[in-house]
Every structure is written in structure tokens, then in C-alpha cells.
Amino acid sequence: MARWGAARRRAQTARQAEFTAFVEATAPKLRRTAYLMCRDWHLAQDLTQITFAKMYAAWGRIRRTTNLEAYSRRVLMNAVFDQKKRRSDSELVLAEPPEVPHHRPDGAVELHVALLRALATLPLRDQAIVVLRHWEDQSVETVAGVLNVSVSVVKTRNARALSRLRAVLGEDFVRA
């Protein structure tokens, strides 16, 4: 009986080490994706932790049979969508009140801020498509799988979202 207990503890320790390695390898990228979706580093950290907690609960089932990166993106997006349903659409957490840029941003920081503000004007599902497709450089098929929609939905909503972003940012901004 003692051998069985020791073997079980070793297997559990190995699974925990495998999960820890997965978390260490994917946490920065998932946190960045969560931030791009919610524009709040603290909330992004919470969403990332929710993702890992849900994955840990299913780790024994998913660790060998699933594309773990795609699975983690799907769990994260579901957490983002669930969080957005609970939070008012009019609520946006910012460190400082936003200022509308009156000219085209010249620096990298200003460009980043302008792009995030423009991204925030899109519906949540369109934000997810743009973030996964263009920031995370995922294929149309991968995005469709993560969001559980068809490839044609991803293509159509992506085109519309990019058009909206161009309208928000202005043609001079887009050409630069």
C-alpha cells in the first residue's frame, strides 16, 4: 500500500510541475492578451489567474489531449466575456481621464495609447478578433476555434472592425 501512495504522490508532483512549467511559459502572453481586451493590468492579472484556475481543475483531462495554448486562449476569452457581462459597459477603469489627441501621435507610447483607445470603441467580440488576429498573430482558423465561430464570421467581423478602427483613427493616422 505504501508503494501505491508513493507512486501516486510522484505522479501528482509530476503533473503539478508540468502545470507550473506551462503557466510560467504562457502567463506573460495571456496577461498581455487579457490587457488588450480590458485595458486594466490588475483585471488582466485576475483574468489570467481565472484562466489558470479553470485549467488546473481540468489539467488531468486536458494536459495530453489538447492544444494547451489554444485551450488557454479560449478559456481566457470566455473569462473576458463573462467579466464584461457582469461589469457595466459604461464603466472603464483608467489611471487618468482620457484626453483626445488632436494630432497624429509621433511617439511609440502615444501610438500605443491611441490604438488602445480606438480598440476600446469596438464591440467586445470584434476586439477579441482584432487582438487575436493582429496583435497575437493567430490564423483566421485559430481565432474561429478560440471564439467558437465560423471562419467567415472571423473574416467579416475582422474587416468591419478594421474599417471602424480606420474611421476612428482617421485616414492620416492610418497612412503614417
Side-chain angles (χ1 to χ4, degrees), residues 71-129:
Y71 188 87
S72 66
R73 283 190 300 268
R74 178 176 230 163
V75 173
L76 175 67
M77 286 301 155
N78 287 340
V80 168
F81 297 149
D82 290 346
Q83 181 275 333
K84 193 67 167 183
K85 287 177 192 172
R86 287 190 300 270
R87 186 179 238 180
S88 168
D89 283 338
S90 62
E91 183 180 352
L92 179 62
V93 180
L94 297 174
E96 297 177 16
E99 294 179 17
V100 179
H102 298 290
H103 66 288
R104 182 177 58 98
D106 291 327
V109 173
E110 291 84 8
L111 174 64
H112 185 75
V113 169
L115 289 173
L116 286 177
R117 285 183 182 156
L119 186 64
T121 65
L122 298 175
L124 188 60
R125 184 79 51 176
D126 291 351
Q127 286 180 35
I129 289 170

Side-chain angles (χ1 to χ4, degrees), residues 97-154:
E99 294 179 17
V100 179
H102 298 290
H103 66 288
R104 182 177 58 98
D106 291 327
V109 173
E110 291 84 8
L111 174 64
H112 185 75
V113 169
L115 289 173
L116 286 177
R117 285 183 182 156
L119 186 64
T121 65
L122 298 175
L124 188 60
R125 184 79 51 176
D126 291 351
Q127 286 180 35
I129 289 170
V130 170
V131 167
L132 290 171
R133 184 77 181 95
H134 300 287
W135 247 294
E136 296 297 328
D137 199 28
Q138 299 297 319
S139 69
V140 173
E141 294 78 14
T142 301
V143 174
V146 167
L147 299 177
N148 199 26
V149 297
S150 70
V151 169
S152 63
V153 167
V154 171

